[in-house]
Amino acid sequence: MHAAGQVVSAAEVPDDTDPARLMASLNSICGPAVVVHGCSRAPDDFNARFDARSRTYVYALYTSATADPWLERTAWHHPGPLDLDAMNEAAGHLLGRRDFSSFGRLPAPDASAERTLYELTCSRSGEIVRVRARAGAFIQQMVRSLVGTLAAVGAGKIEPDAMPSILAAADRAAAGPVAPPHGLCLLSVEYEGGWSRPFDPFQ
């Protein structure tokens, strides 16, 4: 999994730390594999994970007949045409507050699988198909399971109107396969007052 808009918070930072110098130091140590785009002070009680209002992921598939070495690390090679109309029709059945037990794993047997999915859309640019998902939070492997199921819909293996029954089954075996991890990218995290990334590199 990759990230274009990951957010990290640190609880103990000296008061005299210059955020600009800290960002430059981090980039000199971690770059170019990991790059810090911004560094600023936050309230003492801020938590990058638990204060988030929503998260947006983008998953990339490329549908060419042959593999592309330039895309191999960041997209799922899924050769053959995908019916985006069918995929978006299926996605519409999954929006809202739902029990997503059929689309992921829970960290504990008594944990809730209810999540609110605000956005789930599929688009195409040439031979690249992107699935965009935004929710308040996701259960483990949820985005990849949604993508695997939508890809099966696009390939004609699952009907779009099967989504309500898949949700109702509350059984991971009822949905499509889990898409491989390398096509997934965390695009942004939303907080009160804004997003972690001011622009969308996938548009």
Side-chain angles (χ1 to χ4, degrees), residues 32-106:
V34 176
V35 176
V36 179
H37 289 282
C39 186
S40 61
R41 294 192 176 278
D44 291 341
D45 60 351
F46 173 77
N47 185 289
R49 177 184 177 189
F50 296 111
D51 286 351
R53 295 176 58 189
S54 68
R55 299 152 176 86
T56 301
Y57 287 88
V58 172
Y59 192 99
L61 310 89
Y62 66 103
T63 59
S64 60
T66 56
D68 184 336
W70 298 107
L71 296 173
E72 196 61 29
R73 293 181 62 239
T74 57
W76 175 21
H77 183 212
H78 192 288
L82 292 174
D83 184 342
L84 257 67
D85 289 337
M87 293 170 70
N88 280 311
E89 180 184 345
H93 292 293
L94 301 170
L95 297 175
R97 186 73 177 176
R98 311 283 189 188
D99 181 330
F100 285 98
S101 297
S102 295
F103 291 94
R105 300 184 308 191
L106 295 174

